[in-house]
Amino acid sequence: MKIIVEKNYEEMSKRAALEMVNIINEKPNCVLGLATGSTPEGLYKELIKLNKEGKVDFSKATTINLDEYVGLSGEHSQSYRYFMNDRLFNHINVDKSRTFVPNGLAENIELECKNYDERIAKLGGIDIQLLGIGNNGHIGFNEPADYLSMDTHLTDLAKSTIEANSRFFDNIDEVPKKAITMGLGGIMRARKILLIASGASKAEIIAKIAEGKITTQVPASILQVHHDVTIIVDEEAGALIRK
Ligand code: GLP
């Protein structure tokens, strides 16, 4: 794992944007695995800026997102489809028909999951997968558990995740209890992984995933066995890394 510590959130975002831009410029028809959450917002702002300045072109790229809440339509302001349109896709020259987010309203969720994995395979796999990190070590919505799933699947959200994400909803009862998430297989098959984290609240989990034991109770710890992972943190999130 390569760990890069930047001074603050802004520098972390800029550095992460640069990593992504390098991939897109090298391979214009690349497949970008994208993530939601508050952490990548700065990175997306930077990508919009670089796109407007003509320094990166998304016209041939395809994007595939990690996850979506079950029961929310793409028009719901807290759905991840809405988030991606609002924070990135509406502001860059990507072809919207090549931006993929699981359908949280799919009638047949099992089929939706199967099709999602087939889509990734048909696209030739993910060139770079961006990840945030949940306080409990989840990536996408792969929550701590005795067993982890390889494939895209329906999952129950952990109580701590529902609590953490309730800040975006009017009240905690409105937070969906289930989500569709890419599995660990989909994430680990990405050719390159870029994980970003910021703030003191992420310091403990970052130290655990970078230096702790590999365990299904900390899903992101599995990233230690991937051959090309870069973790970019700000000083606060990197504060408990020993090496
Ligand atoms: C959500 C998402 C994750 C994200 C995590 C952390 O639950 N499913 O993909 O990494 O929360 O979010 P934040 O960046 O807001 O801390």
Side-chain angles (χ1 to χ4, degrees):
M1 276 179 164
K2 184 169 149 198
I3 299 176
I4 299 170
V5 182
E6 293 287 349
K7 204 160 183 43
N8 52 35
Y9 178 74
E10 203 190 337
E11 296 304 316
M12 176 208 76
S13 303
K14 281 192 180 157
R15 180 66 191 259
L18 199 68
E19 296 276 336
M20 297 201 73
V21 164
N22 286 342
I23 302 275
I24 306 161
N25 286 344
E26 248 170 54
K27 186 179 174 189
N29 63 345
C30 61
V31 179
L32 304 170
L34 298 180
T36 52
S38 41
T39 312
E41 292 200 54
L43 153 63
Y44 292 154
K45 277 195 186 132
E46 191 61 24
L47 290 180
I48 293 168
K49 182 173 155 266
L50 294 170
N51 184 230
K52 293 213 186 314
E53 289 171 358
K55 293 187 179 132
V56 63
D57 174 17
F58 292 91
S59 63
K60 295 191 180 67
T62 299
T63 72
I64 186 122
N65 262 77
L66 281 170
D67 47 11
E68 179 61 286
Y69 289 118
V70 167
L72 299 193
S73 84
E75 278 82 53
H76 189 290
S77 65
Q78 294 311 323
S79 74
Y80 287 167
R81 161 53 77 181
Y82 185 95
F83 176 101
M84 290 309 302
N85 288 347
D86 187 53
R87 309 303 206 284
L88 185 65
F89 302 150
N90 289 347
H91 313 286
I92 59 173
N93 68 334
V94 73
D95 175 352
K96 274 258 189 79
S97 70
R98 283 212 306 274
T99 66
F100 299 102
V101 180
N103 176 8
L105 291 185
E107 269 177 37
N108 185 339
I109 294 208
E110 213 177 297
L111 185 64
E112 172 69 13
C113 294
K114 192 170 157 271
N115 289 345
Y116 209 69
D117 284 334
E118 278 176 14
R119 183 179 299 287
I120 299 172
K122 254 192 226 148
L123 286 167
I126 296 169
D127 290 296
I128 182 165
Q129 178 63 57
L130 174 68
L131 298 173
I133 178 91
N135 290 318
N136 63 0
H138 76 224
I139 42 180
F141 271 132
N142 292 278
E143 298 280 23
D146 290 341
Y147 301 96
L148 299 175
S149 303
M150 288 292 279
D151 299 338
T152 296
H153 60 282
L154 174 69
T155 184
D156 291 318
L157 301 187
K159 199 166 160 266
S160 62
T161 301
I162 294 172
E163 278 161 14
N165 291 2
S166 68
R167 69 190 193 277
F168 301 113
F169 293 81
D170 287 340
N171 65 67
I172 196 161
D173 298 328
E174 284 182 24
V175 186
K177 309 287 177 287
K178 288 179 188 292
I180 296 174
T181 183
M182 204 187 278
L184 269 310
I187 294 171
M188 291 294 280
R189 277 191 292 272
R191 286 183 267 285
K192 191 175 175 65
I193 292 178
L194 176 62
L195 186 145
I196 56 175
S198 133
S201 67
K202 297 283 169 78
E204 206 174 310
I205 193 65
I206 285 295
K208 259 194 201 168
I209 66 170
E211 300 174 338
K213 291 202 172 84
I214 297 172
T215 160
T216 62
Q217 297 302 331
V218 182
S221 63
I222 195 180
L223 297 176
Q224 289 178 29
V225 299
H226 190 281
H227 66 285
D228 190 351
V229 178
T230 302
I231 298 183
I232 307 180
V233 292
D234 63 7
E235 282 180 359
E236 285 184 352
L240 299 179
I241 301 171
R242 272 171 292 142
K243 286 177 236 156

